[in-house]
Amino acid sequence: METEQRQQRRIAVYHLIVTLLTLWSAVNVILLSFHIGDWNVETRISNGLLVMFAVDYFVRLIRSRDRKTFLIHSAFDLMGIIPMHPVFALFRLGRLARMVQYHHLFWKLGLDGKWTHDFHRFIYSTGFIYLFSISIAIIVLSALLFSVFEHQSLSDSLWWAITTATTVGYGDDTPHTAVGKVIAVGLMFGGIGFIGLLTSTITDFFTTQASQNVTIEEPQHDDELRQLLIKIDTLTTKVDHLQNQVKRLEKSGYKKQH
């Protein structure tokens, strides 16, 4: 019993440290993006946080019993240690969502409900997390190869990959080498295909959700309509009964007069 309590305390302390580092990473991204503070200091902090999260990720991967499941559920963690641009650190916020789920904080705060189950079903049951991870992997890999063969910076290459995969195509960055063009073709087919599946998955989920809500509401409407018809029949019967009584009274009054 004491051993379990100690283990739970260690996990709680570990999760608290990870939470603080994750929030620090998000603040660091904001400072770097808006050029607030000393750029060199913030860059060193960003690199230090990157190393810590990378070590944490690979240690958990090595110690994991089911590495396949770990890779699937920790896809955002892997994206959070991509060293191409500081903005990838924002993917570390996904870790907070899993820790909230692990400690059942929504349930303890009385906020657990249908929307949390729908969110979990949307992320995992629909395959959204897998398609999203593959799409990000294709974009990042294409950007990395584009940077190497086209001699572009990682940030510019990432911008080119995103605009190409989303079919925006501003044309400010274009491949000039044969290898770069091959990379672009692969990104066009692979990236656009998976991003199309990603958007269709989102659309199908909300369409299915809406149809299920309509299906649930239809029986309720049927019950309400049935009850209304019963009330109408009852009122009709009472009106007919009152009319019969009125007619009888009229007949009895007419006979008395004659």
Side-chain angles (χ1 to χ4, degrees):
M1 188 68 179
E2 294 181 358
T3 305
E4 292 181 359
Q5 291 179 350
R6 290 179 182 177
Q7 186 176 3
Q8 291 296 326
R9 290 176 183 174
R10 290 177 183 176
I11 293 174
V13 172
Y14 167 71
H15 284 174
L16 178 61
I17 294 173
V18 172
T19 300
L20 294 176
L21 292 176
T22 302
L23 296 176
W24 193 3
S25 298
V27 173
N28 179 255
V29 170
I30 296 173
L31 295 177
L32 287 173
S33 300
F34 293 96
H35 302 282
I36 302 173
D38 191 336
W39 173 268
N40 293 325
V41 174
E42 296 299 335
T43 302
R44 291 175 183 174
I45 293 174
S46 177
N47 293 333
L49 291 170
L50 175 65
V51 171
M52 284 190 285
F53 277 99
V55 171
D56 173 72
Y57 177 83
F58 288 108
V59 168
R60 289 186 294 122
L61 175 61
I62 293 171
R63 296 182 60 182
S64 176
R65 296 179 181 178
D66 189 352
R67 294 179 182 175
K68 181 180 178 181
T69 303
F70 175 84
L71 290 172
I72 293 173
H73 289 275
S74 303
F76 285 129
D77 297 349
L78 180 60
M79 297 173 197
I81 59 175
I82 295 175
M84 294 187 66
H85 196 276
V87 74
F88 279 97
L90 294 178
F91 284 108
R92 298 169 192 168
L93 294 173
R95 186 85 174 272
L96 297 182
R98 293 205 313 279
M99 287 191 291
V100 167
Q101 183 181 5
Y102 176 84
H103 291 285
H104 305 289
L105 292 183
F106 283 121
W107 178 78
K108 292 178 180 178
L109 295 174
L111 300 176
D112 189 23
K114 184 177 181 298
W115 71 272
T116 56
H117 298 295
D118 290 340
F119 178 76
H120 187 274
R121 186 163 59 88
F122 169 69
I123 293 295
Y124 295 105
S125 300
T126 61
F128 174 84
I129 185 64
Y130 313 118
L131 293 173
F132 184 78
S133 302
I134 294 172
S135 300
I136 293 295
I138 291 173
I139 291 174
V140 171
L141 181 61
S142 300
L144 182 60
L145 295 175
F146 186 85
S147 174
V148 172
F149 289 100
E150 293 292 329
H151 305 289
Q152 299 259 5
S153 65
L154 289 175
S155 58
D156 291 340
S157 299
L158 183 61
W159 169 255
W160 167 82
I162 293 174
T163 56
T164 302
T166 55
T167 68
V168 176
Y170 287 110
D172 50 352
D173 286 324
T174 56
H176 300 286
T177 64
V179 178
K181 292 178 181 178
V182 172
I183 296 169
V185 171
L187 177 61
M188 291 173 190
F189 282 102
I192 294 172
F194 278 102
I195 289 176
L197 289 173
L198 192 65
T199 54
S200 64
T201 299
I202 297 173
T203 304
D204 290 341
F205 174 79
F206 286 105
T207 303
T208 305
Q209 190 73 14
S211 62
Q212 288 178 352
N213 292 335
V214 170
T215 304
I216 292 172
E217 290 176 358
E218 282 180 352
Q220 296 177 351
H221 291 162
D222 292 340
D223 291 338
E224 292 176 357
L225 181 61
R226 192 177 297 108
Q227 292 176 2
L228 181 60
L229 291 174
I230 292 172
K231 290 181 180 179
I232 292 173
D233 290 338
T234 304
L235 289 174
T236 303
T237 303
K238 291 181 179 180
V239 170
D240 292 339
H241 181 67
L242 289 173
Q243 286 179 346
N244 292 331
Q245 287 183 343
V246 170
K247 289 179 181 179
R248 290 175 184 175
L249 290 173
E250 289 178 349
K251 289 180 180 180
S252 61
Y254 177 80
K255 289 180 180 179
K256 288 180 180 180
Q257 291 176 1
H258 290 79

